[in-house]
C-alpha cells in the first residue's frame, strides 16, 4: 500500500485651549486602549489518508516520530478504541524482539527516547467470535503525527508496543499492518494509563480538549491512499460545542474503562425495532452490525433495499438504505457474538460529522 500522501482658521484663543485640551484628552485615551484579544483557534488541523482495498475502507493518520526516533508509519484512525498501539519491528533493535515477546531485562529499558516496560498484555479487537489479538508491552514516549500540511507532538504518553498480532484463526499479520491510533474517550481496560493520544494535550486559551472529524469524501477512498487535508481538527471552539449543529450526547462513566463511547439508541429495520447502545466506529472498515437479542431466525446480511433508521436518546437521527455494494449491514444476536453493541462502520462517516469532547465527556453527531 502506497501510502503510502493564511483637520479652522480664525479660531479664538479660548477655543484653541478647549480644542487643545480635548486633543490631549483624546490622545491619552487612545494610548491606554487595551489591545483586542485574538479569537481562539484550534490547536491543530491535520490531514488523513483515505484508503480502500475495493471492499474495506480505512482512514490513517501519519506517525512521523516516536520518542527521539524518526519513523514513517500509519495508524488506523479509530473512534471505537482508546490508545495507540504500534508494532515494535523497526522501532526496537531486532535483538530485543523474539517469538515469545520483547526482551526487557529489568523493570524498563529506554531505546531512542522510548521507555519499554516489562508489563505485558494482550489487546483484543472485535467480538468473542472473531477477535484480533495484539501481544506486547506497555511503553511511553512522545508521539509526533501529521505532515508538512499540519503536525502535532504529544506530551510523553502511554501506548502499547506489540511484537505480534494474530486474527481469530491464529494467522499472524504482517508488521505494522495493525497499528491503531485509538481516539475514543475511554481508558485502556488492561492499563488505565493508555488513552487517546489526543486526550491530555495542552489547549490554547478558550479551546476545549477534543477533536472534530469532518465528513469523509467518498471519492477519495483509493487503493493508493489519498491524502485529504483538514479532515481532523484538534481542539474544540465554543461554536463547535454550542451552535454548529452537533447533537451532543453525555457519556456514561464506568469503574473500568472510564467514559464509554457507546450511545443509547433505537434501531429500526424492515419493520423490526430494537434498542441498544451504538458505537460510531471508524475502525470498522465496511459493514454495519446491528445486535438484536430477539433475532433467532434471521441472522445474517440485510437484503439490498432495506431501510435502517437510527434514533439516539438525544434525538439524533440517521437513515440509510442498503445496497448490494454499500451500507452492508449484518444482523447478529449478542448472545452468540458476546458483543451487545450495535456498530456503525466507517460508511457512517461519509454522511455525518463527528466530535468528541474529552473535557465535558460528550460525543457530538451531525448530519
Amino acid at each position: 500500500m502506497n501510502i503510502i500522501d493564511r483637520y479652522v482658521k480664525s479660531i479664538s484663543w479660548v477655543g484653541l485651549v478647549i480644542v487643545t485640551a480635548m486633543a490631549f484628552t483624546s490622545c491619552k485615551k487612545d494610548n491606554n486602549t487595551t489591545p483586542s484579544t485574538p479569537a481562539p483557534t484550534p490547536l491543530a488541523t491535520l490531514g488523513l489518508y483515505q484508503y480502500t482495498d475495493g471492499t474495506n475502507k480505512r482512514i490513517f493518520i501519519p506517525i512521523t516520530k516516536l520518542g527521539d526516533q524518526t519513523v514513517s508509519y500509519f495508524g488506523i484512525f479509530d473512534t471505537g478504541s482508546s490508545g495507540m498501539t504500534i508494532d515494535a519491528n523497526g522501532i526496537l533493535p531486532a535483538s530485543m524482539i523474539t517469538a515469545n515477546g520483547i526482551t526487557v531485562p529489568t523493570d524498563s529499558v529506554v531505546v531512542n527516547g522510548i521507555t519499554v516496560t516489562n508489563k505485558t498484555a494482550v489487546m483484543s479487537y472485535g467480538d468473542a467470535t472473531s477477535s484480533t489479538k495484539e501481544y506486547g508491552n506497555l511503553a511511553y514516549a512522545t508521539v509526533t503525527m501529521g505532515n508538512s500540511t499540519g503536525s502535532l507532538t504529544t506530551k510523553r504518553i502511554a501506548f502499547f508496543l506489540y511484537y505480534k498480532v494474530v486474527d481469530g484463526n491464529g494467522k499472524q499479520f504482517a508488521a505494522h499492518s495493525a497499528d491503531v491510533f485509538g481516539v475514543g474517550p475511554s481508558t485502556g481496560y488492561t492499563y488505565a494509563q493508555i488513552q487517546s493520544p489526543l486526550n491530555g494535550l495542552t489547549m490554547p486559551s478558550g479551546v476545549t480538549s477534543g477533536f472534530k472529524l469532518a465528513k469523509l469524501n467518498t471519492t477519495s477512498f483509493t487503493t493508493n491512499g489519498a491524502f485529504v487535508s483538514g479532515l481532523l481538527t484538534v481542539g474544540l471552539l465554543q461554536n463547535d460545542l454550542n451552535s454548529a449543529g452537533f447533537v451532543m450526547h453525555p457519556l456514561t462513566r464506568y469503574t473500568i474503562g472510564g467514559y464509554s463511547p457507546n450511545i443509547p439508541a433505537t434501531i429500526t429495520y424492515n419493520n423490526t425495532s430494537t434498542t441498544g447502545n451504538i458505537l460510531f466506529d471508524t475502525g470498522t472498515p465496511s459493514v454495519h452490525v446491528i445486535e438484536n437479542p430477539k433475532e433467532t431466525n434471521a441472522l445474517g446480511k440485510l437484503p439490498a433495499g432495506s431501510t435502517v433508521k437510527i434514533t439516539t436518546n438525544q434525538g439524533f437521527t440517521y437513515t440509510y438504505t442498503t445496497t448490494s455494494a454499500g451500507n452492508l449491514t449484518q444482523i447478529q444476536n449478542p448472545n452468540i457474538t458476546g458483543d451487545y453493541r450495535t456498530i456503525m462502520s466507517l460508511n457512517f462517516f461519509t454522511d455525518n460529522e463527528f466530535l468528541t469532547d474529552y473535557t465535558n465527556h460528550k460525543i457530538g453527531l451531525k448530519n
Side-chain angles (χ1 to χ4, degrees), residues 83-279:
M84 186 180 80
T85 75
I86 192 165
D87 200 314
N89 289 278
I91 293 174
L92 298 181
S95 59
M96 289 184 62
I97 306 170
T98 74
N100 297 317
I102 299 172
T103 302
V104 183
T106 58
D107 288 344
S108 63
V109 62
V110 179
V111 179
N112 293 326
I114 305 166
T115 301
V116 186
T117 76
N118 63 359
K119 297 179 179 178
T120 63
V122 179
M123 297 290 186
S124 296
Y125 296 87
D127 58 40
T129 61
S130 60
S131 62
T132 295
K133 293 181 169 61
E134 295 181 352
Y135 298 78
N137 296 52
L138 175 66
Y140 297 85
T142 57
V143 179
T144 300
M145 67 206 76
N147 58 17
S148 59
T149 67
S151 63
L152 180 63
T153 300
T154 70
K155 298 177 182 179
R156 179 178 162 86
I157 64 170
F159 64 99
F160 191 65
L161 190 63
Y162 66 88
Y163 66 94
K164 73 173 181 178
V165 54
V166 297
D167 65 16
N169 297 316
K171 179 182 178 182
Q172 187 163 338
F173 289 23
H176 291 283
S177 61
D179 293 350
V180 176
F181 193 90
V183 296
S186 58
T187 60
Y189 283 83
T190 303
Y191 297 115
Q193 303 98 309
I194 297 179
Q195 57 182 319
S196 166
L198 303 182
N199 192 355
L201 296 168
T202 300
M203 293 292 158
S205 177
V207 179
T208 297
S209 178
F211 71 89
K212 180 174 60 175
L213 183 63
K215 188 174 70 169
L216 303 179
N217 188 335
T218 54
T219 62
S220 295
F221 286 100
T222 70
T223 55
N224 290 324
F227 179 76
V228 183
S229 62
L231 282 179
L232 177 64
T233 301
V234 182
L236 303 172
L237 306 181
Q238 286 305 304
N239 178 66
D240 297 321
L241 303 176
N242 301 322
S243 55
F246 284 92
V247 179
M248 303 302 289
H249 300 79
L251 304 178
T252 300
R253 185 181 187 280
Y254 295 92
T255 302
I256 299 176
Y259 288 91
S260 169
N262 301 325
I263 296 174
T266 299
I267 306 100
T268 304
Y269 58 96
N270 291 353
N271 299 316
T272 298
S273 183
T274 185
T275 58
N277 289 319
I278 295 186
L279 176 66

Side-chain angles (χ1 to χ4, degrees), residues 247 249 280 310-318 348 352-353 365-367:
V247 179
H249 300 79
F280 295 91
I310 304 293
T311 305
T312 70
N313 63 340
Q314 298 299 314
F316 172 82
T317 60
Y318 172 57
F348 169 86
N352 305 275
E353 295 181 50
L365 303 173
K366 177 182 177 180
N367 54 23

